[in-house]
Amino acid sequence: MFPLSKPSKPIRIKLTPAEKEAIYALPLHMQYEVVCVNVATRHRVQQHILVDPAARDYKQVRAVAIAYTEECDCWINPIVDKNSPKGRQKLYPGIEDNANPDLTTSKYGYIDVKSPFNKSNIVRNANLACIQGAIVVLTDLMMNEELKHKMILQLTDKIFSEQNRNHHGEPNYTQNQIHWFIKGVLIKYNRSEK
């Protein structure tokens, strides 16, 4: 990997809604800057200029974005307020007006990174990512316990299972893939066909 910029403690200026709208009105290529290039694959991570590097989960999101450059380009997304329909339409076409997926990839589409503190929160975190209109990436970056391969398979099955339904009987996790980022490696599982 070749990082182009080092994450630092930036001085964040609070922008007005009108200033943010002016940024969203720019062509997309002007809203993102390259922050990392994978030397082997030439895939890049680009970050939106409104992304806050001081955000609580920024380090985890960036680490996952860099891992995706092994196979595709990746964009780190900003939080776009639901009261900014033009910005949302430009950055998040086809997803709900409250959704703000962490990443967009050229291969998998929208990705939402979840770093639960323990394995009892994993299914809930996957379901929350699905609400974002995204495939979940579950990481071990905030966990004190090690996730063994057998446990990852059991949790994946639980997320995809018929028991993971809401009170209306609808599936909580509707995506056909679940991604894991364990010990710095991306692992992907597909929903089994019936």
Side-chain angles (χ1 to χ4, degrees):
M1 303 296 157
F2 178 65
L4 297 178
S5 65
K6 294 180 182 176
S8 60
K9 292 197 175 191
I11 299 170
R12 296 303 283 177
I13 299 168
K14 189 141 173 95
L15 299 176
T16 66
E19 290 168 327
K20 288 181 182 180
E21 289 300 323
I23 291 171
Y24 300 140
L26 295 170
L28 276 178
H29 74 275
M30 293 177 69
Q31 294 186 47
Y32 286 86
E33 54 193 10
V34 177
V35 294
C36 179
V37 176
N38 185 311
V39 176
T41 65
R42 304 304 302 156
H43 290 299
R44 307 181 300 174
V45 173
Q46 296 183 60
Q47 179 172 294
H48 195 276
I49 58 179
L50 293 179
V51 166
D52 182 2
R56 183 178 49 84
D57 64 345
Y58 175 78
K59 288 181 183 178
Q60 294 93 323
V61 170
R62 183 179 167 113
V64 170
I66 290 170
Y68 275 109
T69 64
E70 290 295 322
E71 57 183 319
C72 61
D73 290 326
C74 191
W75 294 263
I76 301 175
N77 296 323
I79 294 174
V80 182
D81 189 271
K82 67 178 181 178
N83 296 322
S84 179
K86 289 182 183 174
R88 294 197 60 78
Q89 185 178 10
K90 193 171 216 176
L91 290 169
Y92 302 129
I95 64 171
E96 297 294 321
D97 60 359
N98 287 330
N100 284 286
D102 295 314
L103 304 171
T104 303
T105 63
S106 58
K107 185 172 183 177
Y108 301 102
Y110 298 119
I111 301 290
D112 204 51
V113 178
K114 298 294 185 189
S115 298
F117 292 104
N118 58 59
K119 58 187 173 201
S120 65
N121 294 328
I122 286 177
V123 174
R124 181 178 168 274
N125 275 257
N127 296 342
L128 291 172
C130 193
I131 292 168
Q132 298 292 322
I135 294 171
V136 70
V137 175
L138 295 157
T139 83
D140 62 352
L141 297 171
M142 301 299 287
M143 296 183 103
N144 290 329
E145 56 189 311
E146 182 179 353
L147 283 175
K148 303 266 189 201
H149 182 71
K150 184 177 179 182
M151 177 57 67
I152 292 168
L153 290 174
Q154 289 172 348
L155 289 164
T156 298
D157 287 344
K158 193 171 183 178
I159 293 165
F160 282 144
S161 80
E162 289 296 313
Q163 283 72 44
N164 186 17
R165 293 183 171 272
N166 65 24
H167 61 279
H168 297 297
E170 302 158 336
N172 286 316
Y173 191 82
T174 57
Q175 300 293 332
N176 288 322
Q177 288 191 332
I178 294 172
H179 298 180
W180 294 82
F181 185 67
I182 306 296
K183 295 182 182 175
V185 176
L186 275 171
I187 307 163
K188 298 167 210 76
Y189 295 100
N190 294 319
R191 185 184 297 273
S192 58
E193 294 182 16
K194 296 181 179 181

PDB file of all heavy atoms in Angstrom, residues 22-33:
ATOM      1  N   ALA A  22     -23.052  23.477  -1.762  1.00  0.00           N
ATOM      2  CA  ALA A  22     -22.120  23.925  -2.800  1.00  0.00           C
ATOM      3  C   ALA A  22     -21.092  22.831  -3.098  1.00  0.00           C
ATOM      4  O   ALA A  22     -20.710  22.630  -4.258  1.00  0.00           O
ATOM      5  CB  ALA A  22     -21.432  25.218  -2.376  1.00  0.00           C
ATOM      6  N   ILE A  23     -20.671  22.106  -2.073  1.00  0.00           N
ATOM      7  CA  ILE A  23     -19.726  21.003  -2.285  1.00  0.00           C
ATOM      8  C   ILE A  23     -20.411  19.865  -3.034  1.00  0.00           C
ATOM      9  O   ILE A  23     -19.861  19.325  -3.985  1.00  0.00           O
ATOM     10  CB  ILE A  23     -19.136  20.534  -0.942  1.00  0.00           C
ATOM     11  CG1 ILE A  23     -18.211  21.620  -0.372  1.00  0.00           C
ATOM     12  CG2 ILE A  23     -18.388  19.203  -1.094  1.00  0.00           C
ATOM     13  CD1 ILE A  23     -17.734  21.389   1.035  1.00  0.00           C
ATOM     14  N   TYR A  24     -21.644  19.515  -2.628  1.00  0.00           N
ATOM     15  CA  TYR A  24     -22.363  18.438  -3.304  1.00  0.00           C
ATOM     16  C   TYR A  24     -22.655  18.775  -4.766  1.00  0.00           C
ATOM     17  O   TYR A  24     -22.812  17.877  -5.593  1.00  0.00           O
ATOM     18  CB  TYR A  24     -23.679  18.114  -2.591  1.00  0.00           C
ATOM     19  CG  TYR A  24     -23.520  17.667  -1.160  1.00  0.00           C
ATOM     20  CD1 TYR A  24     -24.407  18.095  -0.182  1.00  0.00           C
ATOM     21  CD2 TYR A  24     -22.497  16.811  -0.775  1.00  0.00           C
ATOM     22  CE1 TYR A  24     -24.284  17.686   1.139  1.00  0.00           C
ATOM     23  CE2 TYR A  24     -22.357  16.408   0.544  1.00  0.00           C
ATOM     24  CZ  TYR A  24     -23.253  16.847   1.493  1.00  0.00           C
ATOM     25  OH  TYR A  24     -23.124  16.449   2.796  1.00  0.00           O
ATOM     26  N   ALA A  25     -22.721  20.048  -5.081  1.00  0.00           N
ATOM     27  CA  ALA A  25     -22.998  20.462  -6.462  1.00  0.00           C
ATOM     28  C   ALA A  25     -21.788  20.265  -7.369  1.00  0.00           C
ATOM     29  O   ALA A  25     -21.926  20.239  -8.590  1.00  0.00           O
ATOM     30  CB  ALA A  25     -23.440  21.922  -6.483  1.00  0.00           C
ATOM     31  N   LEU A  26     -20.609  20.125  -6.788  1.00  0.00           N
ATOM     32  CA  LEU A  26     -19.403  19.901  -7.590  1.00  0.00           C
ATOM     33  C   LEU A  26     -19.476  18.547  -8.288  1.00  0.00           C
ATOM     34  O   LEU A  26     -20.145  17.622  -7.811  1.00  0.00           O
ATOM     35  CB  LEU A  26     -18.163  19.916  -6.686  1.00  0.00           C
ATOM     36  CG  LEU A  26     -17.811  21.220  -5.991  1.00  0.00           C
ATOM     37  CD1 LEU A  26     -16.700  20.977  -4.956  1.00  0.00           C
ATOM     38  CD2 LEU A  26     -17.378  22.267  -6.994  1.00  0.00           C
ATOM     39  N   PRO A  27     -18.761  18.386  -9.411  1.00  0.00           N
ATOM     40  CA  PRO A  27     -18.669  17.050 -10.015  1.00  0.00           C
ATOM     41  C   PRO A  27     -18.083  16.072  -8.985  1.00  0.00           C
ATOM     42  O   PRO A  27     -17.250  16.467  -8.154  1.00  0.00           O
ATOM     43  CB  PRO A  27     -17.708  17.249 -11.189  1.00  0.00           C
ATOM     44  CG  PRO A  27     -17.747  18.718 -11.476  1.00  0.00           C
ATOM     45  CD  PRO A  27     -18.029  19.400 -10.178  1.00  0.00           C
ATOM     46  N   LEU A  28     -18.501  14.827  -9.025  1.00  0.00           N
ATOM     47  CA  LEU A  28     -18.058  13.853  -8.026  1.00  0.00           C
ATOM     48  C   LEU A  28     -16.541  13.750  -7.928  1.00  0.00           C
ATOM     49  O   LEU A  28     -15.995  13.636  -6.834  1.00  0.00           O
ATOM     50  CB  LEU A  28     -18.649  12.473  -8.320  1.00  0.00           C
ATOM     51  CG  LEU A  28     -20.050  12.226  -7.787  1.00  0.00           C
ATOM     52  CD1 LEU A  28     -20.538  10.841  -8.183  1.00  0.00           C
ATOM     53  CD2 LEU A  28     -20.118  12.395  -6.286  1.00  0.00           C
ATOM     54  N   HIS A  29     -15.845  13.794  -9.062  1.00  0.00           N
ATOM     55  CA  HIS A  29     -14.385  13.646  -9.002  1.00  0.00           C
ATOM     56  C   HIS A  29     -13.718  14.795  -8.234  1.00  0.00           C
ATOM     57  O   HIS A  29     -12.608  14.646  -7.745  1.00  0.00           O
ATOM     58  CB  HIS A  29     -13.783  13.500 -10.409  1.00  0.00           C
ATOM     59  CG  HIS A  29     -13.763  14.768 -11.198  1.00  0.00           C
ATOM     60  ND1 HIS A  29     -14.859  15.192 -11.923  1.00  0.00           N
ATOM     61  CD2 HIS A  29     -12.804  15.703 -11.359  1.00  0.00           C
ATOM     62  CE1 HIS A  29     -14.564  16.340 -12.510  1.00  0.00           C
ATOM     63  NE2 HIS A  29     -13.329  16.672 -12.177  1.00  0.00           N
ATOM     64  N   MET A  30     -14.417  15.912  -8.087  1.00  0.00           N
ATOM     65  CA  MET A  30     -13.871  17.033  -7.319  1.00  0.00           C
ATOM     66  C   MET A  30     -14.234  16.938  -5.838  1.00  0.00           C
ATOM     67  O   MET A  30     -13.679  17.661  -5.010  1.00  0.00           O
ATOM     68  CB  MET A  30     -14.363  18.356  -7.900  1.00  0.00           C
ATOM     69  CG  MET A  30     -13.819  18.636  -9.293  1.00  0.00           C
ATOM     70  SD  MET A  30     -14.476  20.161  -9.987  1.00  0.00           S
ATOM     71  CE  MET A  30     -13.684  21.381  -8.938  1.00  0.00           C
ATOM     72  N   GLN A  31     -15.153  16.046  -5.480  1.00  0.00           N
ATOM     73  CA  GLN A  31     -15.559  15.896  -4.087  1.00  0.00           C
ATOM     74  C   GLN A  31     -14.702  14.879  -3.332  1.00  0.00           C
ATOM     75  O   GLN A  31     -14.743  14.810  -2.104  1.00  0.00           O
ATOM     76  CB  GLN A  31     -17.031  15.469  -4.009  1.00  0.00           C
ATOM     77  CG  GLN A  31     -17.996  16.516  -4.510  1.00  0.00           C
ATOM     78  CD  GLN A  31     -19.423  16.095  -4.283  1.00  0.00           C
ATOM     79  OE1 GLN A  31     -19.789  15.640  -3.203  1.00  0.00           O
ATOM     80  NE2 GLN A  31     -20.254  16.244  -5.323  1.00  0.00           N
ATOM     81  N   TYR A  32     -13.935  14.093  -4.045  1.00  0.00           N
ATOM     82  CA  TYR A  32     -13.119  13.050  -3.429  1.00  0.00           C
ATOM     83  C   TYR A  32     -11.643  13.305  -3.709  1.00  0.00           C
ATOM     84  O   TYR A  32     -11.281  13.809  -4.769  1.00  0.00           O
ATOM     85  CB  TYR A  32     -13.503  11.678  -3.991  1.00  0.00           C
ATOM     86  CG  TYR A  32     -14.822  11.161  -3.483  1.00  0.00           C
ATOM     87  CD1 TYR A  32     -16.018  11.514  -4.114  1.00  0.00           C
ATOM     88  CD2 TYR A  32     -14.892  10.323  -2.378  1.00  0.00           C
ATOM     89  CE1 TYR A  32     -17.235  11.048  -3.647  1.00  0.00           C
ATOM     90  CE2 TYR A  32     -16.112   9.844  -1.914  1.00  0.00           C
ATOM     91  CZ  TYR A  32     -17.268  10.215  -2.547  1.00  0.00           C
ATOM     92  OH  TYR A  32     -18.480   9.748  -2.079  1.00  0.00           O
ATOM     93  N   GLU A  33     -10.801  12.904  -2.737  1.00  0.00           N
ATOM     94  CA  GLU A  33      -9.358  12.986  -2.934  1.00  0.00           C
ATOM     95  C   GLU A  33      -8.748  11.619  -2.663  1.00  0.00           C
ATOM     96  O   GLU A  33      -9.217  10.881  -1.798  1.00  0.00           O
ATOM     97  CB  GLU A  33      -8.747  14.056  -2.037  1.00  0.00           C
ATOM     98  CG  GLU A  33      -9.078  13.920  -0.573  1.00  0.00           C
ATOM     99  CD  GLU A  33      -8.723  15.160   0.239  1.00  0.00           C
ATOM    100  OE1 GLU A  33      -8.397  16.201  -0.339  1.00  0.00           O
ATOM    101  OE2 GLU A  33      -8.780  15.054   1.473  1.00  0.00           O
TER     102      GLU A  33
END
